[in-house]
Amino acid sequence: KNLAAPAASLWGAMIPVSEPRCLSRRPRVSVLIVALVLTYLEVQCFVASRVSLWSGGWSLGRTGTTWLLRRATKGELEAMKLTDLKGICRSNSLPVSGTKAQLVERILAEEDSNLEDDEEEDEDEPEKVTAKAAPAPARPKPGSTTPSGYIEETEISGPKGKPIIAGDTIYLLARTGKYLEYPEHREDPRARAVIKGTRQALEIQKKGGGAIQSGDTISLRCHLGVYLDFQGTAVRARKSEAGEWQQIRITNEDHEGSIRTGDVIFLRGHQDNVLDVEKENVKCRWPDEGKWQRLVIEK
């Protein structure tokens, strides 16, 4: 009776008090069973938490949170099962072959390398902040710089000094030594031709016809039957009618007199930007009349 009271208060329904002969043994067996179950559950929770920390914390550690990488020590890794270690290796793109000791060393080596990477990133961080704080360099004025592949003087094919008349077929030679051409498979012209052919030909038009003078408004139709237009910074050949976007002001270097073969000319769109050539690219990005915008007109 003296043993039954404390046993009932401690174990409740687990220790029936109606069987006095078993009271001296049931508590010991029950305590042992409960202790084993609790120990097993604790181990499973520990392993699961470590695996989740390593699989989830590894990626955070790679971005600089190095304390997550130190949650699992070598001893803790050695206490894990082989399957758990393989899971950690697999989640971090590490080889899963080898013994348990090899997997532990592999994980620890990966941790050390990531810690070194994080330290290097931390050292570089002040330089990045300084670089962001520095003011952006000013864009050089196109007229004062030399485009890639620029040729100061280009030899034209054909006689110089012949006047350009409305309806003539003309060719535009960039200062890179290449003619503008108008491919069938794209709308934007390219400066890449070394000969004058059908794809490089333009028909120059002017209302009222006659000789083309510096300052005249013209339109240019390519061999595809569409006109060049300037819109934003793009130069394209896409419309079969000459409207506002297709109106181009042509000038020579002297801004006076008639336009003749061999003249250096500039083509200004309706938005006041001038056609420019950089390598093979044909754009209209600035209102300048400089080296980037120089074209030689030929017949």
Side-chain angles (χ1 to χ4, degrees):
K1 292 182 180 180
N2 294 334
L3 295 175
S9 62
L10 289 174
W11 302 105
M14 294 178 58
I15 305 175
V17 296
S18 60
E19 297 181 18
R21 286 179 296 179
C22 300
L23 290 178
S24 59
R25 296 181 181 179
R26 286 270 177 99
R28 296 178 183 178
V29 175
S30 300
V31 169
L32 180 61
I33 293 174
V34 171
L36 290 175
V37 170
L38 292 177
T39 303
Y40 175 78
L41 293 176
E42 184 179 358
V43 170
Q44 293 298 317
C45 291
F46 172 80
V47 172
S49 63
R50 290 306 175 187
V51 172
S52 63
L53 286 173
W54 274 81
S55 60
W58 189 266
S59 60
L60 292 175
R62 298 176 75 94
T63 60
T65 313
T66 58
W67 61 274
L68 283 175
L69 293 173
R70 296 173 181 170
R71 285 185 176 179
T73 63
K74 183 176 181 180
E76 293 170 341
L77 290 174
E78 291 176 344
M80 294 183 184
K81 295 181 180 180
L82 183 62
T83 54
D84 296 330
L85 294 175
K86 288 184 177 181
I88 295 174
C89 292
R90 198 174 289 112
S91 64
N92 293 282
S93 301
L94 297 174
V96 296
S97 60
T99 63
K100 183 176 181 180
Q102 289 174 337
L103 294 182
V104 171
E105 293 299 328
R106 192 174 296 153
I107 294 171
L108 292 174
E110 179 70 8
E111 174 185 350
D112 293 338
S113 64
N114 287 329
L115 289 176
E116 292 176 0
D117 293 341
D118 291 335
E119 291 175 359
E120 292 178 359
E121 291 178 2
D122 293 339
E123 292 176 358
D124 294 340
E125 190 64 27
E127 297 181 2
K128 294 180 181 179
V129 173
T130 304
K132 290 181 180 179
R139 177 180 66 84
K141 188 176 181 181
S144 60
T145 60
T146 301
S148 176
Y150 180 80
I151 302 174
E152 189 66 36
E153 296 292 338
T154 54
E155 292 291 334
I156 71 168
S157 59
K160 292 184 179 181
K162 297 186 66 175
I164 304 295
I165 310 297
D168 281 348
T169 297
I170 64 168
Y171 305 88
L172 298 176
L173 180 65
R175 281 301 185 173
T176 56
K178 303 295 178 62
Y179 291 96
L180 273 61
E181 68 176 9
Y182 317 93
E184 293 84 355
H185 62 282
R186 58 190 305 160
E187 293 180 342
D188 56 318
R190 311 291 287 176
R192 60 185 182 186
V194 295
I195 61 171
K196 294 191 297 187
T198 303
R199 297 175 66 180
Q200 295 78 37
L202 288 170
E203 180 186 345
I204 187 168
Q205 298 180 358
K206 183 180 77 167
K207 289 183 178 180
I212 306 298
Q213 304 291 321
S214 180
D216 280 350
T217 298
I218 62 168
S219 55
L220 298 171
R221 187 174 69 172
C222 73
H223 68 103
L224 300 173
V226 292
Y227 292 85
L228 291 188
D229 67 69
F230 293 20
Q231 179 63 22
T233 61
V235 177
R236 290 171 289 190
R238 54 181 181 160
K239 300 293 184 180
S240 58
E241 297 180 356
E244 179 184 358
W245 290 6
Q246 290 76 31
Q247 301 303 307
I248 301 170
R249 185 170 180 265
I250 184 172
T251 57
N252 56 23
E253 287 186 304
D254 298 328
H255 288 266
E256 61 180 16
S258 60
I259 302 295
R260 299 178 178 272
T261 57
D263 282 356
V264 173
I265 64 166
F266 304 97
L267 299 177
R268 186 179 299 273
H270 70 287
Q271 294 180 321
D272 203 39
N273 283 349
V274 180
L275 184 148
D276 66 83
V277 176
E278 182 179 9
K279 297 182 180 178
E280 293 186 357
N281 301 314
V282 180
K283 302 288 185 180
C284 56
R285 295 174 286 185
W286 306 290
D288 309 75
E289 293 182 353
K291 293 180 179 180
W292 298 66
Q293 292 79 20
R294 290 160 63 91
L295 300 168
V296 175
I297 189 168
E298 298 183 13
K299 290 173 68 172

